[in-house]
Amino acid sequence: MSLWVDRFRPKTLDDLHYHQGLSSRLKSLAASGDFPHMLFYGPSGAGKKTRISCTLRQLFGSGVEKLKIDQRVFVSPSRRKIEINLVQSNFHIEITPSEAGNYDRVIIQELLKEIAQTQQVDLNAKQRFKVVIINEADSLSRDAQAALRRTMEKYMSNLRIILCANSTSRLIAPIKSRCLLMRVAAPTSTEMQTVLEHVAKKLKFDLPPEASLRIVEDAAGNMRKALLIFEALKMQSPDLTGPLTIAKPDWETYCHKVADLIVQEQSPARVMEVRAKFYELLSHCIPPTIILKTVAERVVERVDEALKADVMHWAAFYELRMRMGNKKIFHLEAWVVKVMCLYKHFTYNFDMSDFE
């Protein structure tokens, strides 16, 4: 049995509950004869992929829902084999090239060239081009982005590219200039409550307003997270009354413990202890940027008002360094040392003021 987040996912643009102006715009673009390359961007859980799938249905009809998962093997110039999973229908292919790391350029070049050189095989299709959806586009290497830009120029007649990203800051300007940018903002609290009430109505039970508000507050604009929490709470307490306990993910609790360690003691031994915990998080595939963000937010809650701005400033600084570099642990550890120095210096000056 599928999760509610998949079971009640809207299938058409008319079924979407928020950003109606964006849905109308997508509908008119799909109906026009000149569909452009597109870039959907916005925070996680805002509904980017749902809108992309609804747009594909508007373009090609219900045939896009007949999906199959395939595994392709690509060979790099150094003869290394790279395996990538593809989700495809007769009308589109969905890929995540960033899974291949530094070899994403090979996948972009070979796969897009192969797709672009074949004509649309379905004679009943409304459009004569195929669509390639590239997930996590902001994680592509510079070489892969350069290869993508050349492909977008060369094969426009047979191919349309839809990029999905959390932010546009890491995409090169030539790619952004060749796409129609679609910002999918996080839903408001009222919009999220509307979706939760719609799901409850579909399941034929009443959602108490207090429970709805509690779920929305914890989800913080992430519609996917809100639906997952909703389902979990319903399994725990069928009537959704009384005090509701929303369990935090294990990795988030672990990050909070790391932040507490940083604030409790500032010493070389404590840096080594924090480093071991960072390795533990990274080995469980928690993205380093998420680790840094979660730990920094927790540290900000625990420190004095005068230090909060500096903690977040250095978090942003080392996040940028992390994105540009290769060894993520170095930048995480550098941020920890910097925060410890700031905290130690602040508390020392604060203690000395007692003797003045």
Side-chain angles (χ1 to χ4, degrees):
M1 191 173 177
S2 60
L3 294 169
W4 291 357
V5 71
D6 296 317
R7 184 174 161 192
F8 299 109
R9 188 186 297 274
K11 299 287 178 63
T12 67
L13 291 169
D14 292 326
D15 294 339
L16 294 165
H17 289 86
Y18 53 92
H19 301 333
Q20 300 298 337
L22 181 58
S23 299
S24 301
R25 191 178 178 195
L26 289 169
K27 198 184 295 184
S28 61
L29 281 168
S32 70
D34 187 21
F35 190 79
H37 298 304
M38 301 182 81
L39 168 57
F40 286 78
Y41 68 99
S44 182
K48 299 185 292 294
K49 289 184 181 178
T50 300
R51 270 174 172 69
I52 290 170
S53 63
C54 291
T55 305
L56 288 177
R57 186 185 169 96
Q58 191 75 26
L59 273 171
F60 299 108
S62 58
V64 291
E65 294 172 9
K66 296 175 183 176
L67 300 173
K68 64 177 181 177
I69 299 174
D70 192 16
Q71 191 174 59
R72 290 283 304 275
V73 178
F74 299 89
V75 181
S76 71
S78 60
R79 298 296 175 189
R80 177 171 177 174
K81 290 185 178 179
I82 309 152
E83 293 183 355
I84 287 289
N85 291 323
L86 309 176
V87 178
Q88 57 185 332
S89 69
N90 289 335
F91 309 100
H92 82 288
I93 285 185
E94 185 175 342
I95 57 172
T96 309
S98 57
E99 290 176 357
N102 293 330
Y103 296 100
D104 53 358
R105 177 182 61 84
V106 177
I107 295 158
I108 291 287
Q109 283 180 326
E110 293 189 18
L111 185 64
L112 295 189
K113 185 178 179 182
E114 177 189 318
I115 296 167
Q117 288 177 344
T118 58
Q119 294 287 336
Q120 176 62 265
V121 292
D122 194 329
L123 298 176
N124 297 321
K126 298 177 184 177
Q127 306 288 348
R128 303 313 306 162
F129 54 80
K130 269 199 168 186
V131 173
V132 177
I133 301 168
I134 300 178
N135 294 320
E136 299 178 17
D138 48 344
S139 297
L140 291 174
S141 65
R142 302 286 287 191
D143 288 342
Q145 292 188 44
L148 179 59
R149 184 203 69 183
R150 291 192 293 271
T151 306
M152 292 168 81
E153 291 172 345
K154 192 172 181 181
Y155 300 112
M156 181 72 178
S157 58
N158 293 345
L159 183 70
R160 295 294 186 279
I161 291 171
I162 297 180
L163 304 174
C164 185
N166 287 346
S167 169
T168 60
S169 60
R170 297 180 64 199
L171 291 168
I172 59 176
I175 285 184
K176 288 187 278 190
S177 67
R178 286 163 176 77
C179 294
L180 178 63
L181 270 62
M182 290 287 180
R183 179 174 178 267
V184 184
T188 64
S189 298
T190 307
E191 289 167 341
M192 292 179 77
Q193 284 179 297
T194 303
V195 174
L196 294 175
E197 286 164 7
H198 170 75
V199 171
K201 189 177 177 182
K202 286 273 188 182
L203 293 164
K204 298 179 181 177
F205 69 86
D206 293 326
L207 174 63
E210 301 81 14
S212 174
L213 190 61
R214 180 85 174 81
I215 293 167
V216 166
E217 284 176 358
D218 195 81
N222 189 326
M223 196 67 244
R224 186 193 310 111
K225 184 178 179 182
L227 288 169
L228 291 170
I229 292 171
F230 184 22
E231 185 173 6
L233 289 176
K234 180 64 177 171
M235 296 301 109
Q236 291 171 15
S237 173
D239 55 356
L240 291 171
T241 55
L244 299 174
T245 305
I246 298 174
K248 296 284 184 187
D250 290 343
W251 65 266
E252 194 172 327
T253 306
Y254 203 75
C255 284
H256 288 173
K257 287 180 180 176
V258 172
D260 294 343
L261 289 173
I262 294 169
V263 176
Q264 287 164 7
E265 182 187 330
Q266 297 76 44
S267 66
R270 184 51 59 93
V271 172
M272 298 300 291
E273 189 178 345
V274 169
R275 175 199 278 180
K277 295 196 179 299
F278 278 150
Y279 271 125
E280 185 74 18
L281 287 163
L282 291 169
S283 68
H284 284 81
C285 300
I286 307 300
T289 52
I290 298 294
I291 295 171
L292 181 57
K293 179 176 180 288
T294 309
V295 175
E297 286 175 350
R298 176 71 170 184
V299 168
V300 163
E301 291 175 9
R302 301 286 308 277
V303 299
D304 192 89
E305 195 71 34
L307 277 176
K308 294 184 183 214
D310 283 337
V311 169
M312 295 312 290
H313 165 76
W314 289 107
F317 176 82
Y318 283 108
E319 184 187 5
L320 177 62
R321 295 282 293 270
M322 192 190 302
R323 290 182 186 276
M324 295 170 65
N326 292 322
K327 293 285 186 180
K328 312 301 182 187
I329 189 68
F330 291 169
H331 307 290
L332 287 169
E333 193 174 318
W335 175 78
V336 169
V337 172
K338 187 70 182 178
V339 170
M340 282 186 174
C341 289
L342 288 169
Y343 190 79
K344 189 96 172 174
H345 182 69
F346 176 80
T347 51
Y348 175 76
N349 287 342
F350 185 77
D351 292 341
M352 289 298 292
S353 65
D354 294 341
F355 299 97
E356 292 176 359

